[in-house]
Amino acid sequence: MTKEELHEYQPLLTKGIGDRRPPKLPNKTLLLAASSACIGGTFQYGYNISIINSPTVYVQNFINQTWAERYQTNISEDLLTLLWSTIVSMLTLGGFMGATIGGTLSMKLGRKGTLLTNNIFALVAALLMGLSYHTGLYELLIIGRFLIGITAGIAICVQPLYLGEIAPTAFRGTMGMGTSVFITGGILTGQVIGLKELLGREEYWPILLSTTCIPALLQLLTLPWFPESPRYLLIDKGDNQGCKKALKQLHGVADWDRELEEIQKEKNNLTGFQAKKPWELFTDRSFHWQIVTVMLLNMSQQLNGINAIYFYADYVFKQSGIPEDKIPYVTVGTGACECITALTCGMLIDCLGRKVLITGGYILMSICCILFTLALSFQDASPVIPYLSMVCIFAFILSFGLGPGGVTNILTTELFTQTARPAAYMVAGWVNWLSFLFISLVFPFIVIGLQQYCFLVFLVICFSVVVYIFLVVPETKNKTFVEIQNAFKSNNSKDHTADSGRTTLLTTSI
């Protein structure tokens, strides 16, 4: 740092982080920047998870018709199922690929630059899926779903990075909840757009699948007006003036200086450190418990039973006497329930803290697993039981949205400093997408083998996560990234000392 820069930062460094002023409401520009990042980011992920459900029968009819025209014979049932499963699962494969390249792109192009570039995949995907029917090429659906999966994988990796790095410390939790809010908002929007009153009819399914271009265009039109991540500008690029300009735009002229102070302290703390590669997080003992925590939380986010709840939802709704043609509207209710809970979590997270919400969410999910198992076991015992099952479904979704659904991504941001954060998100993305693929492949067999008792498996998973969080994960509310890193140092130091002791003993014995 030059003498001029040192003189410029001196007033900030002498104040100390202990002199934090009471937080005000987030700047309007900050909220608009977060919304722009999310609408073309994780909104796409949620939207493309749910949008594919509505036209299932219509797309299968299209594949059958195309096959007959090409080969003058009807496609077999097994092959049709295989092709449809391939179309659906391409999102997972693309997501894994996106998570693999997302962290690297975020370091080369910046957080904002990566999000903007990411829209290219979404626009090409929308074009291919929209043209599939008119060209008679169902292969375009496979390619399109793969590309939109890449979009989702990059978004889940990079968008939380951007939100966590532009947010002031006092509102980092609320801002980080944008990831969860827009995922659930995307799921709900896809459910609503897929209703028969809108684009859920057979003649509209190519248009329905191509509507994924709309969020991409909205982000391309709005995000360029907002700045790059100030942390990326100062710590990764050394752009002092760019960082100050971004902070003033995002936080206001009156509040930018205290955030600059924190960023500068983190930069000084990271002097001499290079950006980490994903595999280096596993060999660096200073990140041992952080990477274990992130992997466990992302794995459990897919394996905690939320997919099982949605699987059983239609069955429970039918048992409750809801007409089959009305079930899609009740399903929209489940999406709205999760979306509202994510918004509620966003309002509570900086008040109650991360640890309370995620632990409480998993405890409530554990209780719901027990109650839902009992309700399904005695489904025919009383006319009231199916309605109790419906209550369990909504309670489980509320519990998931209140804690695990929203807090997991925020913790991935907060448990790592600037040089390790992109690599941590790559690892989190790999674990998340592989767990998603695993549960998609294995879950049907679990249901067939255990039936309603499958929720006892999810009970064990949820309760195990509660114990781990209680024993290992510190509260990160209102702490800087450096303070959070220091909170893990004692555990990592003990772990390293224990390993050293074991190594010495082994060497002596030999």
Side-chain angles (χ1 to χ4, degrees), residues 211-486:
T211 52
T212 191
C213 69
I214 297 175
L217 291 173
L218 285 174
Q219 187 176 79
L220 286 172
L221 290 172
T222 56
L223 191 56
W225 297 96
F226 300 105
E228 178 58 88
S229 158
R231 290 180 184 275
Y232 174 79
L233 291 172
L234 183 60
I235 299 176
D236 292 270
K237 291 298 182 183
D239 185 355
N240 300 315
Q241 294 303 318
C243 175
K244 288 198 297 181
K245 183 179 178 181
L247 284 171
K248 289 177 181 178
Q249 187 177 351
L250 291 168
H251 297 240
V253 176
D255 297 317
W256 67 275
D257 55 340
R258 58 177 170 177
E259 295 304 321
L260 181 60
E261 174 190 4
E262 185 200 328
I263 297 172
Q264 185 60 43
K265 285 199 171 187
E266 184 177 353
K267 181 182 179 182
N268 294 340
N269 195 60
L270 296 173
T271 300
F273 288 90
Q274 298 294 322
K276 295 285 184 182
K277 305 294 184 186
W279 51 88
E280 291 176 338
L281 296 180
F282 295 95
T283 57
D284 189 337
R285 284 293 179 185
S286 63
F287 294 108
H288 177 75
W289 285 106
Q290 291 96 310
I291 198 66
V292 169
T293 299
V294 164
M295 291 178 66
L296 178 69
L297 292 182
N298 278 274
M299 189 183 302
S300 59
Q301 193 175 30
Q302 295 295 340
L303 306 181
N304 58 25
I306 189 67
N307 298 294
I309 285 292
Y310 281 116
F311 178 87
Y312 270 102
D314 282 5
Y315 166 74
V316 171
F317 295 153
K318 289 176 185 175
Q319 289 291 106
S320 302
I322 298 173
E324 193 163 346
D325 60 331
K326 302 297 182 186
I327 287 178
Y329 302 95
V330 183
T331 303
V332 170
T334 62
C337 177
E338 191 173 353
C339 189
I340 291 169
T341 312
L343 286 168
T344 305
C345 183
M347 292 185 285
L348 294 175
I349 191 166
D350 282 319
C351 174
L352 298 179
R354 288 61 156 155
K355 192 167 182 174
V356 170
L357 283 178
I358 194 168
T359 305
Y362 273 116
I363 289 173
L364 291 174
M365 289 167 71
S366 300
I367 295 171
C368 289
C369 283
I370 297 172
L371 296 178
F372 199 53
T373 301
L374 293 173
L376 289 176
S377 299
F378 299 100
Q379 192 79 357
D380 300 324
S382 168
V384 179
I385 298 296
Y387 296 97
L388 293 178
S389 300
M390 284 185 64
V391 172
C392 287
I393 286 176
F394 282 94
F396 195 96
I397 293 170
L398 285 167
S399 304
F400 175 78
L402 186 65
V407 180
T408 301
N409 275 316
I410 295 172
L411 286 176
T412 306
T413 299
E414 294 183 331
L415 298 187
F416 295 88
T417 49
Q418 191 77 8
T419 56
R421 200 173 293 124
Y425 264 102
M426 290 174 69
V427 174
W430 293 339
V431 172
N432 208 306
W433 287 106
L434 286 175
S435 300
F436 189 5
L437 179 62
F438 173 80
I439 198 68
S440 300
L441 295 174
V442 175
F443 175 67
F445 298 100
I446 295 176
V447 173
I448 292 171
L450 299 178
Q451 298 181 1
Q452 70 269 24
Y453 299 109
C454 68
F455 285 94
L456 297 179
V457 176
F458 303 127
L459 168 64
V460 172
I461 293 171
C462 291
F463 187 74
S464 300
V465 175
V466 169
V467 174
Y468 178 86
I469 293 172
F470 180 78
L471 295 176
V472 175
V473 182
E475 178 56 70
T476 59
K477 181 183 72 170
N478 289 335
K479 292 182 180 178
T480 67
F481 292 125
V482 175
E483 290 170 341
I484 296 167
Q485 187 77 1
N486 290 336

Side-chain angles (χ1 to χ4, degrees), residues 88-119:
V88 174
S89 61
M90 277 294 110
L91 182 76
T92 307
L93 183 60
F96 183 83
M97 181 68 69
T100 302
I101 63 177
T104 304
L105 288 176
S106 72
M107 290 186 285
K108 292 183 179 295
L109 305 178
R111 294 18 170 175
K112 172 185 165 183
T114 302
L115 289 173
L116 289 171
T117 304
N118 193 29
N119 291 300

Side-chain angles (χ1 to χ4, degrees), residues 30-271:
L30 181 68
L31 295 176
L32 291 174
S35 299
S36 178
C38 292
I39 194 67
T42 51
F43 181 90
Q44 286 276 33
Y45 170 64
Y47 187 72
N48 284 282
I49 281 179
S50 63
I51 204 70
I52 198 68
N53 294 325
S54 175
T56 298
V57 176
Y58 309 141
V59 175
Q60 289 178 347
N61 290 339
F62 162 65
I63 295 172
N64 201 357
Q65 176 186 340
T66 304
W67 188 276
E69 290 175 356
R70 286 185 191 178
Y71 306 109
Q72 286 73 51
T73 183
N74 288 329
I75 189 171
S76 68
E77 192 68 30
D78 290 341
L79 186 54
L80 178 62
T81 303
L82 176 62
L83 285 174
W84 173 246
S85 300
T86 302
I87 291 171
V88 174
S89 61
M90 277 294 110
L91 182 76
T92 307
L93 183 60
F96 183 83
M97 181 68 69
T100 302
I101 63 177
T104 304
L105 288 176
S106 72
M107 290 186 285
K108 292 183 179 295
L109 305 178
R111 294 18 170 175
K112 172 185 165 183
T114 302
L115 289 173
L116 289 171
T117 304
N118 193 29
N119 291 300
I120 296 173
F121 296 108
L123 293 174
V124 174
L127 179 64
L128 294 179
M129 291 189 291
L131 291 176
S132 59
Y133 178 77
H134 299 287
T135 58
L137 296 171
Y138 55 77
E139 293 86 353
L140 295 183
L141 293 174
I142 298 174
I143 300 171
R145 288 284 292 179
F146 177 74
L147 291 175
I148 205 63
I150 293 178
T151 299
I154 293 175
I156 290 178
C157 183
V158 180
Q159 180 197 297
L161 269 177
Y162 183 70
L163 296 184
E165 292 177 7
I166 67 174
T169 301
F171 294 107
R172 199 167 57 225
T174 301
M175 292 287 294
M177 279 302 301
T179 298
S180 177
V181 169
F182 276 82
I183 287 177
T184 57
I187 292 173
L188 177 60
T189 304
Q191 290 171 340
V192 172
I193 296 294
L195 294 174
K196 292 184 181 296
E197 288 81 357
L198 296 174
L199 296 179
R201 287 183 283 181
E202 185 164 10
E203 61 269 27
Y204 291 148
W205 73 259
I207 300 173
L208 177 64
L209 295 182
S210 64
T211 52
T212 191
C213 69
I214 297 175
L217 291 173
L218 285 174
Q219 187 176 79
L220 286 172
L221 290 172
T222 56
L223 191 56
W225 297 96
F226 300 105
E228 178 58 88
S229 158
R231 290 180 184 275
Y232 174 79
L233 291 172
L234 183 60
I235 299 176
D236 292 270
K237 291 298 182 183
D239 185 355
N240 300 315
Q241 294 303 318
C243 175
K244 288 198 297 181
K245 183 179 178 181
L247 284 171
K248 289 177 181 178
Q249 187 177 351
L250 291 168
H251 297 240
V253 176
D255 297 317
W256 67 275
D257 55 340
R258 58 177 170 177
E259 295 304 321
L260 181 60
E261 174 190 4
E262 185 200 328
I263 297 172
Q264 185 60 43
K265 285 199 171 187
E266 184 177 353
K267 181 182 179 182
N268 294 340
N269 195 60
L270 296 173
T271 300

